[in-house]
Every structure is written in C-alpha cells, then in structure tokens.
C-alpha cells in the first residue's frame, strides 16, 4: 500500500521503445491495484514491443499513441495539454537513449515529447538501454540536462541485458519504480539536509553454524520509517538485521546479523546523524560460547545453553548523544506498557519512546497494522500521542513528532 500522502494520485506513464517496455504491464497493474489513476502514452516504437491493448486493459483507459498528437478525433481537447494538466507525476519507463535525447532537446514531434514539454508536474526518467549507450557521453549529457532542469533521472540497474551485454542498463524493478515515484510525489521535504539512522529487523544470535536464537520481527516498521524519512528528504542509513524485505530505494543499507554487529554499525554511523530511530528487535542474549561445529543431538534428552547479555545499543548511543541529536526508541511490551516505556525513555536517555503492545495478533510482531503510544522526554514538554493505523501512518506520525521537536 502507498504512503499516506501518495493515495489518489494521477500517474502518467510514458513508454518508449526499449525491450523493457514489456515490464510496464506489471507496473501499470501495480499502480491500479494501489488505487491510482494511470494514463499511458506509447511511442510508435514502444507499441511494437508492448501492446497498447495490454496497457489500456490494465489501466482501464485508452493507451495514447503518437498518432493522437494531431488527431481530429479529440477536437479541441488537445491531448498533450489535457494529459499534461491531468498528471500529478510523469514517469518515462523505459526511457530509451532516443527518448532521453528528445526530452533533453525539447523535441515535441511525438505525443510523449509534447506532453513532457507542457507538463509542470514532477518528471521522472528511467533510462534502460545497452550499457555502452548508457555510458556514452552523449547520453550522460542528456541525462544531466534533464537533471539541471529539476527532473529526476534514475540510474539503470546492472546485470544481464537483453542485447547480450552485462552491465548498467536494466530497467529497475517495479518496486523500485513505485518507490521513486512516491519520492517524487511526496509533498513535504521537512527532513532535507538531515541524516537519519534507522535500525530494523531482528538479530540472529548463532549458537552453532546452522542454528540461531531470534524473534519474529520482520523489520516492516523500521523499513517504513526509513522509506518515509527518505521521501521527506533525509539522507537515510538503515542498519538492518536479517529481514526478507526489499531495501528501500535511495537508502543506504548496512546489513548485519548479530546484536554485536548492529552495535558496531550504529556506533560508527550515529555521530553524524541528526535523528536516530532504533526500531530493531535486538536479541538481548547471545550464546556464551558459539560452537564451531554443528551441535549434535546427544544421547541426553536435554541441552543447557549458557547465554550472556548483549550490550544495549540504544543506551550506548544515549550515553554519547550530541546536543541537538534526537534519539527515538521502541518499547515492545506485553504488560505494564506505560511504566515500562517510561523506564526505557529515562534509562536509555531517549527523546521519545514508541510503546508497542506486542501481546495481540493485531499489533504484535509481523503485523501490518499497529497501535502505539508515543511518550516524549519531560524536557520536550509534550503529552503522549497515540497513533493507530498501518505502518505508513505510524511511520509518518513518528516523523511528524520528530520534525516538530526539531523545528
Ligand atoms: N535495544 C537496543 N539494544 C538492545 C536491546 C534493545 O538498542 N540490546 C533498543 C531497541 O531497538 C528498542 C529499545 O532498545 O528501541 C527497547 O527495546 P526492547 O526490546 O523493548 O527492550 P529492552 O531494552 O531489551 O528491555 P526488555 O527486554 O527488558 O523489555
């Protein structure tokens, strides 16, 4: 589901004639599923690679073609003007070298080119082509020209290309295109110029090479906070334990396994951070002695593991907190939620604590919805706030509070 501010938007997708055009069917489907209105414009070359009927069926609207630029059929409703006024964002994917050239040159001889020229909404280009074509200074200069005009050109992914080459030139994944489109649509940039460090996910504390102690955290909450902070303009570092989630686009991911690794990464990233949100479910204990070999099932019917406590990362950061730095922690509780949360707020020198009742199926680990109570440090002089909703509502609510106290 999209972030709060990205619902009910109108997306205009321009498709140019690269082989990756076939992937736009999935992209249109994803947007429609998320409740967006989608219009598509295909260049003539694109229409040879993906059927306009496919896109129009998925978008539930006609697919516009170059021949619509000057067509009697639409009368006074000039398509490139009507479409350019309608769109909240214009996405060109895939964007061929030629489409990039045409956009940079202000070439209005196609419906897509004329619409790009007339459109005042954010424009987002996803170049996809042979790696030599992408590396060519002519292409790079066109990309730069568009960026200098305030548009965004997203670097292609690297990997095997349809032309047989290996290198940069692939169209990014559908998820990455959704993510970048949300970034363009985000109406607030209140975290611009700020570095935000977020921890997320569980940790794995290995007892032998094939077994570990962990918890059911999925990392969804921390990933949503990292994404939302990035949409709102922050430079984001996400220190994540093992999570089966796609790293958000535009966020620097530091992958760790154990609590000790997480601590090391956090202590190295925290000094330059303006905001630190500790959303990870850090394992409190690790095996005192990790077996080098797999522990064999012995004749004995019981096994005693000796555990030792991991360091408290939030507390370590709280002790080193610089003036002006905001430190937020979570308190995952099953009882005495308020008391326990306030105790953690104080003991870890947090500025705010997000108290999370993890006892119920609705709001516990791995759940998509959440209901949290946020307590602020007494020095900030603000009453607790309750936020209920999906991960985006909670993530943006937490960042709203942080944004308010840092103003
Ligand atoms: N935390 C941490 N390092 C740890 C344990 C917890 O940084 N070794 C952080 C969590 O990311 C969270 C906050 O501290 O932001 C509280 O975590 P929680 O698991 O609720 O509490 P604990 O401090 O582990 O205390 P307890 O297990 O007794 O509830």
């Amino acid at each position: 589901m999209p972030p709060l501010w990205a619902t009910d938007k109108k997306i205009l997708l321009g498709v140019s004639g690269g082989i990756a055009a076939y992937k736009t069917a999935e992209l249109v489907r994803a947007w429609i599923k998320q409740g967006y209105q989608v219009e598509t414009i295909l260049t003539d070359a694109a229409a040879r690679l993906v059927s306009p009927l496919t896109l129009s069926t998925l978008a539930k609207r006609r697919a516009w073609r170059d021949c619509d630029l000057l067509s009697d059929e639409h009368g006074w409703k000039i398509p490139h003007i009507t479409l350019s006024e309608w769109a909240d964002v214009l996405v060109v994917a895939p964007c061929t070298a030629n489409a990039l050239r045409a956009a940079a040159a202000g070439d209005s001889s196609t419906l897509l080119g004329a619409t790009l020229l007339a459109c005042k909404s954010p424009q987002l280009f996803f170049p996809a082509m042979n790696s030599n074509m992408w590396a060519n200074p002519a292409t790079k200069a066109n990309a730069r020209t568009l960026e200098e005009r305030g548009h965004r050109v997203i670097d292609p992914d690297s990997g095997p290309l349809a032309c047989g080459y290996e290198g940069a030139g692939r169209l990014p994944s559908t998820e990455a295109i959704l993510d970048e489109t949300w970034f363009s649509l985000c109406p607030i940039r209140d975290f611009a110029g700020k570095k935000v460090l977020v921890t997320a996910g569980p940790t794995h504390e290995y007892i032998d090479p094939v077994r570990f102690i962990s918890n059911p955290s999925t990392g969804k909450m921390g990933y949503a906070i990292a994404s939302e902070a990035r949409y709102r303009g922050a430079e984001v570092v996400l220190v994540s334990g093992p999570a089966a989630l796609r790293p958000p686009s535009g966020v620097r991911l530091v992958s760790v396994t154990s609590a000790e690794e997480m601590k090391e990464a956090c202590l190295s990233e925290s000094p330059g951070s303006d905001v630190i949100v500790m959303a990870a479910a850090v394992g409190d204990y690790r095996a005192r002695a990790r077996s080098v070999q797999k522990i064999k099932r012995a004749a004995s019917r019981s096994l005693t593991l000796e555990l030792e406590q991991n360091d408290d990362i939030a507390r370590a950061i709280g002790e080193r907190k610089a003036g002006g730095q905001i430190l937020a922690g979570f308190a995952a509780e099953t009882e005495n939620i308020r008391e326990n949360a306030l105790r953690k707020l104080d003991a870890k020198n947090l500025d705010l604590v997000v108290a999370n009742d993890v006892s119920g199926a609705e709001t516990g680990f791995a759940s998509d919805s959440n209901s949290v109570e946020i307590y602020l440090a007494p020095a900030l002089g603000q009453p607790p706030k309750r936020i209920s909703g999906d991960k985006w509502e909670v993530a943006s609510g937490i960042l709203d509070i942080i944004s308010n106290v840092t103003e």
Side-chain angles (χ1 to χ4, degrees):
M1 275 298 119
L4 290 184
W5 36 260
T7 47
D8 297 329
K9 297 288 183 193
K10 299 189 283 287
I11 300 175
L12 180 51
L13 173 68
V15 186
S16 63
I19 183 64
Y22 78 91
K23 296 180 180 168
T24 55
E26 192 186 310
L27 182 60
V28 171
R29 191 162 178 272
W31 276 327
I32 293 295
K33 241 170 113 181
Q34 292 177 349
Y36 294 104
Q37 298 176 57
V38 182
E39 290 276 6
T40 52
I41 302 178
L42 289 87
T43 63
D44 284 342
R48 300 181 62 194
L49 292 158
V50 60
S51 153
L53 187 58
T54 303
L55 295 191
S56 63
T57 305
L58 293 171
K60 301 182 176 64
R61 286 161 184 262
R62 66 170 298 156
W64 298 88
R65 305 277 303 274
D66 278 344
C67 54
D68 293 311
L69 180 59
L70 288 174
S71 155
D72 289 341
E73 189 192 334
H74 314 294
W76 55 269
K77 287 191 173 174
I78 308 165
H80 60 286
I81 303 300
T82 315
L83 287 168
S84 68
E85 286 173 348
W86 174 87
D88 291 312
V89 63
L90 210 163
V91 178
V92 184
C95 182
T96 60
N98 187 44
L100 203 67
R101 175 209 57 77
D107 180 344
S108 61
S109 61
T110 60
L111 178 61
L112 178 57
T115 309
L116 284 166
L117 263 190
C119 188
K120 294 196 123 175
S121 297
Q123 297 184 11
L124 193 48
F125 297 84
F126 289 91
M129 62 195 75
N130 164 272
S131 49
N132 288 347
M133 293 169 76
W134 171 242
N136 195 295
T139 309
K140 294 284 186 207
N142 289 329
R144 233 179 2 260
T145 301
L146 290 169
E147 284 172 339
E148 281 162 10
R149 291 186 194 138
H151 306 310
R152 298 181 60 226
V153 180
I154 309 299
D155 282 350
D157 281 356
S158 290
L161 304 174
C163 60
Y165 281 51
E166 180 99 22
R170 288 172 66 85
L171 184 70
S173 67
T174 297
E175 290 79 11
I177 297 176
L178 300 180
D179 226 359
E180 295 295 354
T181 306
W182 287 337
F183 178 82
S184 285
L185 284 169
C186 185
I188 35 170
R189 293 276 193 255
D190 52 349
F191 282 81
K194 292 204 173 6
K195 181 176 166 187
V196 176
L197 170 62
V198 182
T199 68
T203 59
H204 287 181
E205 310 298 329
Y206 274 86
I207 61 171
D208 75 7
V210 292
R211 302 184 185 95
F212 54 80
I213 304 171
S214 191
N215 59 66
S217 165
T218 58
K220 279 181 194 165
M221 192 66 252
Y223 276 57
I225 293 169
S227 297
E228 177 80 16
R230 189 257 169 164
Y231 299 142
R232 290 163 72 157
E235 173 201 339
V236 181
V237 179
L238 174 62
V239 176
S240 174
L245 299 173
R246 190 188 64 85
S249 308
V251 161
R252 181 155 62 84
L253 177 74
V254 181
S255 293
V256 296
T257 304
S258 66
E260 283 181 309
E261 285 172 21
M262 186 171 276
K263 181 184 174 194
E264 200 184 314
C266 288
L267 290 185
S268 116
E269 294 291 344
S270 57
S273 301
D274 301 286
V275 174
I276 302 162
V277 184
M278 315 283 302
V282 186
D284 285 334
Y285 291 92
R286 64 176 178 274
R288 183 174 288 281
R290 173 175 165 175
S291 172
V292 179
Q293 302 299 336
K294 183 181 170 201
I295 299 171
K296 301 304 280 178
R297 181 153 52 96
S300 153
R301 293 194 67 83
S302 70
L303 170 73
T304 304
L305 273 178
E306 199 181 341
L307 304 178
E308 64 185 354
Q309 209 172 81
N310 282 320
D311 289 341
D312 187 326
I313 309 168
R315 188 192 282 255
I317 292 178
E319 283 164 2
R320 296 164 173 75
K321 197 165 64 174
Q325 216 171 30
I326 295 287
L327 177 59
F330 275 68
E333 306 297 343
T334 54
E335 58 177 350
N336 303 328
I337 299 179
R338 182 172 180 277
E339 295 71 30
N340 285 326
L342 290 174
R343 193 174 40 77
K344 287 175 189 174
L345 180 76
D346 182 53
K348 301 182 193 227
N349 195 20
L350 305 175
D351 295 289
L352 58 111
V353 64
V354 183
N356 199 1
D357 180 352
V358 290
S359 61
E362 287 298 298
T363 54
F365 283 121
S367 136
D368 274 327
S369 61
N370 222 330
S371 178
V372 300
E373 188 93 15
I374 301 178
Y375 300 94
L376 288 97
L380 297 171
Q382 289 190 32
K385 297 192 169 64
R386 170 159 291 281
I387 309 173
S388 302
D390 69 10
K391 60 181 184 174
W392 292 117
E393 284 172 287
V394 176
S396 66
I398 293 169
L399 291 177
D400 285 348
I401 293 173
I402 294 176
S403 181
N404 271 340
V405 299
T406 50
E407 254 173 15

